[in-house]
Amino acid sequence: MGEAPAFIVDDLQNQIGFENGFGSKFKGCKTATTIGDKTYVIGGNDESTLPVEVRIFDKATGNWVTPIVLGSKPNSCKGLSAISLNDDRILIVKKGSAPDDCILFLEVDTWFVREQKKIRGTEVVAWSKGVRGDAEKPVVISGPSGVGKGTLISMLMKEFPSMFGFSVSHTTRAPRGMEKDGVHYHFTEQSIMEKEIKDGKFVEYASVHGNLYGTSIEAVEVVTDAGKRCILDIDVQGARSVRASSLEAILIFVCPPSMEELETRLRSRRTETEEQILNRLQNAEVEMKQGKSSGIFDHILYNDNLDDCYESLKKLLGIDGAAAATQISAPQGIDLPADHSVSKMDNKIIINYGTPELEKTSKSLIVLDVSSLKGGAPGRTRGLDVYATDSFSDDLNGINQPS
Ligand SMILES: Nc1ncnc2c1ncn2[C@@H]1O[C@H](COP(=O)(O)OP(=O)(O)OP(=O)(O)O)[C@@H](O)[C@H]1O
Ligand SMILES: Nc1nc2c(ncn2[C@@H]2O[C@H](COP(=O)(O)O)[C@@H](O)[C@H]2O)c(=O)[nH]1
């Protein structure tokens, strides 16, 4: 069964002393996988608290390259297994790690990584944590200034504090009275933000009402690393960029009941000058047209009565009524035993943790079905299907799929 080892090169092994984890049991926390001309050596010291390192050996030039590593780097562990998927990412199984921290993806040639390579002009790789099923899609809330986006988001965060996390944007606008740096926004200067955009630190950015606003990669990662679903409050231009990105967000456009009511809300907030209010109302006309007709958004919500609108938002996020409790408690991690070997069959990664005797009597194989992966860096990689089985033949051929 399985495929041939992805990578066995004696001289490389001598140079850096790694062992390839593909289908074998081993001690060191280092592994390597070759994709095209590049060998990705991934690992660190045994059980160290240092992050797992990544180095690339370019066979075409004979040089070692240390790439820019995006995403939160996993800590070293008892061992790693690595398997290339579709030549654009490497699936990593961490041995002896917590259920929510044992399946990771190192992206080496995905859309996100290719964009980052273009911007930074150097080798880039990006970590993304693997999660089961379709949960945790980021949520983009867009709409004209004053429509109530912030109000709806605050309600969501208050009712579901452990489920949602707010993506704290960067902006060059001045803070309002109660706004705190790092909580409501990262308040910054134009020249600093422009440099950071050039350095590829942003998922999206736009000039809105005369100021620069943007979502940094880190802002999204802080939320996903905390195991929460990321909420972005961004304008229509930003939503368009997110739609084109690998974030695979749910995009929601919020409309006011009328332009008169929008003006009333904007004025009653008392946070803008007359000139700023008029500018925002003028921009609102354009945003309303784009929001309703551009095809960027998955859903349109009307914020007339606030409570009704909030209920509609919860409904379309699947967190109304009983569904809310189920979703909050659903385990997203994968419980893997510490000692196991890993191999691959088509779109299925087979994790074997049984002795030959045990295999005959009980379920000793865990199957990761990677045929429907979605998302990825700078968010999570979703769509993993995981099940236990006891036979290489029937279950893996799809004859006896568990429910
Ligand atoms: N359904 C509603 N009915 C009446 N007032 C509302 C409603 N929703 C929000 N508001 C009020 O409208 C004002 C603007 O709301 P909010 O600040 O949430 O808008 P926003 O879309 O986040 O604006 P911005 O894009 O400028 O940040 C607030 O004073 C808020 O309390
Ligand atoms: N494209 C982005 N737009 C953003 C971001 N953060 C906020 N916004 C939008 O800006 C306006 C104005 O916000 P305000 O706080 O000054 O009233 C509003 O429409 C926000 O949605 C961002 O990171 N990117």
Side-chain angles (χ1 to χ4, degrees):
M1 63 142 286
E3 292 179 346
F7 176 68
I8 300 178
V9 183
D10 289 344
D11 56 339
L12 257 185
Q13 179 144 2
N14 292 337
Q15 278 184 56
I16 58 167
F18 72 87
E19 288 180 68
N20 178 31
F22 199 96
S24 63
K25 298 191 176 184
F26 64 101
K27 287 186 193 129
C29 188
K30 242 175 205 160
T31 185
T33 299
T34 295
I35 299 177
D37 271 346
K38 289 175 184 154
T39 297
Y40 298 85
V41 179
I42 305 154
N45 299 323
D46 279 10
E47 297 185 54
S48 146
T49 51
L50 295 172
V52 168
E53 289 165 2
V54 181
R55 293 184 73 206
I56 304 171
F57 183 72
D58 189 337
K59 285 196 271 180
T61 62
N63 291 330
W64 283 98
V65 180
T66 304
I68 291 177
V69 182
L70 301 175
S72 56
K73 303 159 186 78
N75 282 340
S76 290
C77 55
K78 290 185 176 144
L80 295 172
S81 302
I83 292 173
S84 155
L85 298 180
N86 306 324
D87 288 354
D88 65 0
R89 71 194 75 201
I90 299 166
L91 184 146
I92 310 283
V93 181
K94 274 180 76 183
K95 302 192 176 196
S97 296
D100 63 348
D101 185 36
C102 59
I103 305 292
L104 295 144
F105 293 86
L106 184 70
E107 300 192 7
V108 300
D109 195 32
T110 55
W111 178 89
F112 175 71
V113 167
R114 283 198 302 274
E115 289 297 305
Q116 293 296 320
K117 283 182 190 173
K118 262 190 259 164
I119 296 166
R120 296 165 191 251
T122 185
E123 268 302 336
V124 177
V125 294
W127 287 103
S128 168
K129 212 178 250 186
V131 292
R132 301 170 87 159
D134 206 19
E136 301 198 14
K137 275 191 179 181
V139 181
V140 167
I141 312 265
S142 203
S145 179
V147 73
K149 303 179 295 295
T151 307
L152 289 164
I153 291 170
S154 298
M155 291 167 85
L156 210 50
M157 304 269 293
K158 198 171 167 203
E159 189 175 358
F160 303 101
S162 60
M163 185 188 254
F164 293 100
F166 184 61
S167 158
V168 180
S169 295
H170 281 59
T171 182
T172 59
R173 86 148 161 76
R176 292 175 189 143
M178 299 297 284
E179 284 180 337
K180 286 201 183 103
D181 189 29
V183 176
H184 299 94
Y185 279 106
H186 297 289
F187 294 101
T188 184
E189 284 167 28
Q190 181 94 11
S191 57
I192 297 174
M193 193 161 163
E194 279 172 357
K195 160 99 176 48
E196 288 177 345
I197 289 170
K198 225 179 215 168
D199 290 345
K201 293 192 176 164
F202 285 82
V203 181
E204 64 76 33
Y205 58 90
S207 174
V208 191
H209 316 314
N211 280 298
L212 205 49
Y213 292 77
T215 308
S216 69
I217 293 167
E218 204 187 333
V220 177
E221 282 180 344
V222 163
V223 176
T224 48
D225 288 348
K228 296 182 180 183
R229 194 167 180 186
C230 191
I231 307 187
L232 294 84
D233 174 345
I234 60 177
D235 87 316
V236 176
Q237 304 166 76
R240 193 190 302 275
S241 303
V242 168
R243 169 60 88 203
S245 79
S246 55
L247 265 187
E248 293 217 331
I250 295 177
L251 292 109
I252 300 166
F253 187 77
V254 186
C255 287
S258 66
M259 294 310 274
E260 291 73 28
E261 171 64 14
L262 183 72
E263 181 168 352
T264 304
R265 287 181 195 175
L266 208 44
R267 288 187 183 285
S268 68
R269 199 171 63 183
R270 296 175 184 278
T271 48
E272 276 75 32
T273 63
E274 181 62 20
E275 191 187 355
Q276 286 166 338
I277 289 172
L278 294 177
N279 182 29
R280 285 178 182 233
L281 288 173
Q282 202 175 350
N283 292 339
E285 305 272 355
V286 181
E287 288 172 299
M288 290 292 289
K289 275 196 197 110
Q290 291 180 343
K292 283 182 171 176
S293 64
S294 60
I296 301 172
F297 294 95
D298 301 302
H299 305 278
I300 293 183
L301 279 182
Y302 285 87
N303 184 15
D304 189 352
N305 176 285
L306 183 60
D307 290 336
D308 290 349
C309 184
Y310 180 58
E311 284 308 312
S312 305
L313 174 63
K314 287 202 292 181
K315 200 167 186 180
L316 67 85
L317 293 178
I319 50 169
D320 57 326
T326 316
Q327 187 148 345
I328 291 165
S329 62
Q332 291 302 309
I334 298 149
D335 203 358
L336 282 186
D339 197 16
H340 58 258
S341 61
V342 179
S343 54
K344 185 179 169 199
M345 184 186 273
D346 300 323
N347 277 324
K348 293 181 174 109
I349 308 301
I350 298 124
I351 299 171
N352 186 350
Y353 59 95
T355 60
E357 293 73 42
L358 191 65
E359 272 172 33
K360 289 187 196 117
T361 54
S362 67
K363 296 203 170 191
S364 56
L365 305 175
I366 290 175
V367 179
L368 304 183
D369 187 330
V370 291
S371 57
S372 306
L373 294 184
K374 292 172 198 152
R380 304 258 173 138
T381 299
R382 302 181 312 278
L384 267 176
D385 187 16
V386 183
Y387 55 90
T389 183
D390 55 3
S391 136
F392 277 115
S393 54
D394 292 350
D395 288 340
L396 299 181
N397 288 332
I399 299 165
N400 188 19
Q401 287 281 338
S403 55

